[in-house]
């Protein structure tokens, strides 16, 4: 939490400098703070047009912030300590393990090196494809194409959602080279490093996958597939979204719209023109989010998937929750339930407060709140119109959503306490 707070503070100071804007005037502390928080928390919500308002210096600062936020402030600090000191203490290992979500203490340094190399390789490949496309398809000169490719590659892989066009990626709605490349980077970045590493080792042997990988991959495929079908059905005849496109373009745009709520924040369709049913579907996808150890936000697909297995076991009358050939401990079930319950309460309370502070409708306010909490960054276009109090509420939601509601609770509790006695059991009426 301290590392993210320090990064936000540093980003705010840099973005508040006159050199960070195209006009040469300070952006103002609230705009700088909101943008820095959105970048570090890899959200993508903005108060001003990124390309028109920020200078190249400001854009580079923003890119650096969401790169740092995506990899994790503690990961960068730990790698820096390894490179400088050549050794890693127990406290640093624990910090690195917590940030990278590794499942064992063994050889954390090697894991961190793999994380950095894998991230840079993915971002580089994405940047090369985008650069070539911008040059050959849109006539951009090499320097400009490389800059656009690198910025959006880093933004996509880290699920940040910052774009250098005022309409995000709407101008590329029917371009598979742009949309599929960015969607692939978003999916890989949102799966989580432990899942990606395990898939690289045993992608041909699903029977050997861990419970984490099984749930992450299965739920991700189901959510993307069902989301695509929902958007196709809801927007097929909408003249302001899918209507003007051919069948291939509609399928591509619906798929892209289904991937982005994993907390990426890009959009190739006009969010404000979507039907209320599409807004609701996007709310659900944003709230669930991506993988537990990736750069995505939300309650995570593993939390959602585990709760589904808990419900299924309860419906079948089983007193144990099994995934594949493994039993899930009760502590993990309680953790998943706690994360979901805390998140629902936080979203509900924040939505009520923002309704009091703004004249906008419930569906718009709920969309903005979930987008901020899940660090998705999609917007119905009302973020910039909110009052300063509303902006503060959203940036707090972004920060809490990035560090995780249960992480915040764990930081307050410090450690788990073992009760030395058991009280008499009493059944209560449920439902």
């Amino acid at each position: 939490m301290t590392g993210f707070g320090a990064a936000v503070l540093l980003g705010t100071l840099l973005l508040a400098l006159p050199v960070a804007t195209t006009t040469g005037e300070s952006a103002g502390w609230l705009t700088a703070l909101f943008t820095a928080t959105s970048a570090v928390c890899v959200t993508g919500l903005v108060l001003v047009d990124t390309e028109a308002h920020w200078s190249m210096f400001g854009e580079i600062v923003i890119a650096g912030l969401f790169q740092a936020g995506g990899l994790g402030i503690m990961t960068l600090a730990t790698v820096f300590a390894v490179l400088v000191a050549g050794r890693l203490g127990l406290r640093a290992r624990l910090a690195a393990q917590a940030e990278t979500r590794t499942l064992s203490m063994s050889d954390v340094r090697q894991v961190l090196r793999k994380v950095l190399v894998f991230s840079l390789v993915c971002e580089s490949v994405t940047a090369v494809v985008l650069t070539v496309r911008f040059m050959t398809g849109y006539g951009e000169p090499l320097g400009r194409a490389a800059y656009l490719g690198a910025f959006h590659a880093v933004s996509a892989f880290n699920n940040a959602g910052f774009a250098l066009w005022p309409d995000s990626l709407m101008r590329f709605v029917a371009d598979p080279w742009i949309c599929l490349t960015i969607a692939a980077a978003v999916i890989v970045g949102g799966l989580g490093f432990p899942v990606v590493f395990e898939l690289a080792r045993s992608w041909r042997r699903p029977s050997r996958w861990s419970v984490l990988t099984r749930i992450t991959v299965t739920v991700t495929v189901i959510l993307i597939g069902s989301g695509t079908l929902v958007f196709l059905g809801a927007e097929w005849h909408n003249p302001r979204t899918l209507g003007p496109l051919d069948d291939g373009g509609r399928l591509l745009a619906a798929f892209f719209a289904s991937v982005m709520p994993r907390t990426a924040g890009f959009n190739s369709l006009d969010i404000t023109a979507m039907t209320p049913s599409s807004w609701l579907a996007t709310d659900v996808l944003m709230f669930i989010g991506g993988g537990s150890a990736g750069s995505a936000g939300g309650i995570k697909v593993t939390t959602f998937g585990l709760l589904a297995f808990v419900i299924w076991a309860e419906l079948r009358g089983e007193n144990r929750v099994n995934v594949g050939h493994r039993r899930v401990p009760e502590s993990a079930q309680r953790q998943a339930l706690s994360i979901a319950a805390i998140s629902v309460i936080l979203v509900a309370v924040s939505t009520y407060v923002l309704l009091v502070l703004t004249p906008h409708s419930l569906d718009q306010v709920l969309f903005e709140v979930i987008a901020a909490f899940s660090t998705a960054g999609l917007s119905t276009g009302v973020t910039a119109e909110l009052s300063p109090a509303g902006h503060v509420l959203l940036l707090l939601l972004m920060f809490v959503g990035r560090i995780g509601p249960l992480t915040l609770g764990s930081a307050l509790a410090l450690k788990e306490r073992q009760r030395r006695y058991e009280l008499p059991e009493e059944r209560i009426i449920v439902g």
Side-chain angles (χ1 to χ4, degrees):
M1 186 187 304
T2 304
F4 282 101
V8 170
L9 177 59
L10 176 60
T12 302
L13 295 175
L14 292 175
L15 292 177
L17 296 175
V19 71
T21 65
T22 56
T23 61
E25 299 178 357
S26 176
W29 288 107
L30 181 56
T31 300
L33 175 61
F34 190 95
T35 305
T37 304
S38 182
V40 172
C41 298
V42 291
T43 305
L45 285 176
V46 295
L47 302 182
V48 294
D49 179 24
T50 301
E51 185 183 36
H53 185 82
W54 302 108
S55 64
M56 180 173 288
F57 172 82
E59 292 172 1
I60 293 175
V61 169
I62 292 172
L65 291 175
F66 57 65
Q67 175 74 294
L71 289 176
I73 301 300
M74 292 305 298
T75 301
L76 294 179
T78 304
V79 171
F80 181 78
V82 172
L83 296 177
V84 173
R87 57 189 177 86
L88 195 64
L90 177 59
R91 179 170 300 190
R93 283 176 178 266
L94 290 171
Q97 181 192 16
E99 182 58 35
T100 58
R101 311 302 200 271
T102 50
L103 302 181
S104 68
M105 280 287 293
S106 62
D107 207 3
V108 177
R109 284 188 296 182
Q110 183 179 358
V111 171
L112 294 183
R113 290 193 184 99
K114 288 182 178 180
V115 166
L116 283 176
V117 171
F118 175 75
S119 301
L120 294 177
V121 169
C122 288
E123 291 172 355
S124 298
V125 172
T126 304
V128 169
V129 175
L130 293 178
T131 298
V132 172
R133 182 56 180 167
F134 288 137
M135 290 177 58
T136 59
Y138 300 94
E140 295 285 357
L142 176 59
R144 176 65 176 171
Y147 179 71
L148 292 174
F151 186 95
H152 292 92
V154 176
S155 182
F157 180 77
N158 290 290
N159 282 211
F162 280 85
L164 294 179
W165 296 280
D167 59 355
S168 189
L169 301 179
M170 288 174 57
R171 63 190 64 192
F172 308 112
V173 62
D175 189 333
W177 286 98
I178 300 293
C179 291
L180 292 181
T181 300
I182 289 181
V186 167
I187 293 173
V188 173
L191 283 177
F193 299 118
V195 173
V196 171
F197 291 159
E198 184 172 352
L199 289 176
R201 292 194 305 267
S202 56
W203 64 274
R204 293 182 178 180
R205 298 183 294 275
S207 60
R208 298 186 180 182
W209 290 357
S210 65
V211 172
L212 173 65
T213 299
R214 285 174 181 268
I215 294 180
T216 301
V217 173
T218 302
V219 177
T220 296
V221 172
I222 292 175
L223 290 179
I224 293 177
S226 59
T228 301
L229 295 177
V230 168
F231 288 123
L232 282 174
E235 303 293 333
W236 186 270
H237 297 293
N238 188 339
R240 299 174 60 191
T241 55
L242 296 184
L245 304 174
D246 58 24
D247 291 349
R250 288 171 173 171
L251 180 59
L252 175 63
F255 171 78
F256 195 81
S258 181
V259 171
M260 292 307 111
R262 293 177 54 80
T263 76
F266 296 108
N267 64 282
S268 63
L269 296 175
D270 186 358
I271 300 294
T272 63
M274 284 184 169
T275 62
S277 58
S278 293
W279 279 6
L280 179 59
T282 305
D283 286 340
V284 174
L285 293 175
M286 289 191 299
F287 185 76
I288 296 173
S292 291
S295 51
I299 65 171
K300 306 298 190 300
V301 294
T302 45
T303 302
F304 177 77
L306 180 54
L307 288 177
F309 278 104
V310 171
I311 294 172
W312 179 243
E314 189 66 26
L315 291 176
R316 298 182 62 182
E318 299 178 352
N319 58 2
R320 294 289 186 270
V321 176
N322 302 318
V323 179
H325 300 289
R326 295 290 185 273
R327 179 173 60 87
V328 179
E330 294 182 358
S331 59
Q333 301 171 38
R334 291 195 302 269
Q335 185 180 25
L337 179 60
S338 299
I339 290 175
I342 292 173
S343 300
V344 169
I345 293 172
L346 185 59
V347 167
V349 172
S350 300
T351 301
Y352 175 81
V353 173
L354 201 57
L355 280 173
V356 174
L357 297 175
T358 178
H360 299 292
S361 61
L362 173 61
D363 51 358
Q364 289 177 310
V365 170
L366 179 62
F367 194 101
E368 303 297 312
V369 167
I370 295 179
F373 171 74
S374 66
T375 70
L378 296 172
S379 175
T380 58
V382 304
T383 297
E385 301 174 4
L386 299 177
S387 64
H391 293 155
V392 172
L393 175 61
L394 290 185
L395 69 87
L396 290 176
L397 279 172
M398 289 188 288
F399 190 82
V400 173
R402 180 64 181 93
I403 64 174
L406 198 62
T407 303
L408 180 61
S410 300
L412 297 175
L414 294 180
K415 62 179 180 179
E416 183 178 326
R417 293 178 296 178
Q418 296 291 335
R419 188 180 293 272
R420 298 181 180 275
Y421 58 90
E422 292 290 340
L423 295 175
E425 183 179 278
E426 180 177 347
R427 301 286 295 182
I428 64 172
I429 299 176
V430 178

